[in-house]
Amino acid sequence: MDSRIEELVEKFWNAESSLDEEQELKQLVQQAPESAELSELKQLFAHHDEAAQKQLDDSFDEEILAIIQAEKEEVKVVSFNDYFRRYSAIAAAVLVTIISSVFFYQQQNAPTSTDTFETPEEAYAELKKQLLMVSVFMNKGNNTMSEFGALGDATDELGAIGNMSSAESGLQMLGGMSVN
């Protein structure tokens, strides 16, 4: 194969060739001897020539216009109510499916209770132990609360000391009055 043909083929397949170079390649391929490498290009150029020679007749336009006219006549006006009824039914079906799936999933994953003790006496002893522990913690809380109550009593005593200062001012007023 000629180096010029190889160069033009490379440009053609990389989509880098100009229209003039493609015409030159087409002429070189048609004039070149038959080879396996160029047979694909010959078929491609033959197809392009064949497609370029096809022409549409006047009946094509008439057929297309008739199809368009038929589609215009079949146009259906859909009102909002029809649209709403159709899709609200679909939405309701989807909603029912989702809700039933959620309930089914919850039912499948529901916890089951099992016995953890061999005898009722063991269970009673464990319950008694746990309740005693809760009672101890609550008593600690009650003790803390009674300490807060004692703080309230201390506040009352401080208020009484404040009353003493008002009594002192009253005594000073009496002292200012002389009783002769």
Side-chain angles (χ1 to χ4, degrees), residues 130-179:
Q130 295 297 324
L131 288 175
L132 182 63
M133 185 176 68
V134 168
S135 173
V136 167
F137 286 124
M138 288 189 73
N139 286 337
K140 284 183 183 177
N142 284 339
N143 291 340
T144 306
M145 291 306 291
S146 65
E147 290 173 8
F148 283 129
L151 285 177
D153 294 340
T155 306
D156 293 340
E157 290 175 14
L158 288 175
I161 292 173
N163 289 340
M164 289 175 85
S165 67
S166 65
E168 180 186 356
S169 64
L171 284 176
Q172 286 177 354
M173 282 180 19
L174 282 176
M177 297 161 88
S178 69
V179 185

Side-chain angles (χ1 to χ4, degrees), residues 1 14 29 51 53 59 82 96-97 103 126 147 171 173 180:
M1 194 164 42
N14 290 332
V29 166
Q53 291 176 0
S59 66
D82 293 339
V96 167
T97 304
F103 283 133
E126 182 65 26
E147 290 173 8
L171 284 176
M173 282 180 19
N180 287 351

